[in-house]
Amino acid sequence: MKNDSNYPDINGLLGDLGNLVSDNSTPAVPVDTPVDTPGQVQSDMGDDDWELFRKNLSLYNFREKKDDRMICKLDRDLADSLDDCDFDRKCRSDIVNAIVRTFVNRYLPRLRQYKRNNRSLLDSTPT
């Protein structure tokens, strides 16, 4: 269900995503967690994240060829939801990149703990 602006109702976009279950059988997003709707922000941090998303999205130019792109498959419901949005005529890939950049910038300290420390036989010294 779309509102009067260019942005669709986030509750409609999320659909059943609030019912997703993670590997440890706890909801990934609790069903009773409030969801932002257009014009309503749950916290001050939400505003900062939204502005960072908009800034990251503005880095991408319309119809500019981007040779350094990798393929990443999205769930159909996410792809359809993003296609329902019109962020200054940006393509789905630009939107996804801006979302991921925002997430990485926001949670960089936490993400660092998951960085792989690849070990190789080439790194060891002979005994």
Side-chain angles (χ1 to χ4, degrees):
M1 176 174 146
K2 292 191 178 189
N3 62 13
D4 293 332
S5 71
N6 286 336
Y7 306 109
D9 175 41
I10 194 72
N11 290 321
L13 290 175
L14 292 177
D16 291 329
L17 291 178
N19 297 326
L20 289 177
V21 177
S22 64
D23 291 339
N24 62 5
S25 297
T26 58
V29 178
V31 176
D32 60 345
T33 300
V35 177
D36 289 345
T37 55
Q40 172 188 0
V41 177
Q42 297 298 327
S43 68
D44 292 336
M45 184 173 38
D47 269 338
D48 293 341
D49 290 342
W50 183 255
E51 292 307 315
L52 182 57
F53 161 70
R54 297 295 296 182
K55 178 181 172 189
N56 286 328
L57 188 59
S58 71
L59 298 174
Y60 299 99
N61 295 321
F62 181 68
R63 294 187 184 236
E64 176 182 288
K65 185 171 177 155
K66 298 148 185 117
D67 292 326
D68 291 340
R69 290 261 166 115
M70 304 296 294
I71 294 174
C72 181
K73 294 186 178 187
L74 294 177
D75 293 342
R76 172 56 54 198
D77 56 343
L78 290 172
D80 290 344
S81 297
L82 292 176
D83 290 344
D84 285 342
C85 298
D86 180 9
F87 292 102
D88 303 321
R89 299 179 64 198
K90 300 289 198 246
C91 68
R92 183 193 312 152
S93 295
D94 290 346
I95 296 168
V96 169
N97 279 314
I99 290 168
V100 173
R101 284 183 190 283
T102 302
F103 181 87
V104 169
N105 287 331
R106 172 74 176 90
Y107 294 104
L108 186 59
R110 290 183 186 179
L111 290 169
R112 281 189 178 124
Q113 70 183 347
Y114 295 98
K115 186 175 185 290
R116 291 184 188 156
N117 190 6
N118 296 332
R119 294 183 187 154
S120 167
L121 292 176
L122 301 174
D123 295 334
S124 62
T125 57
T127 54

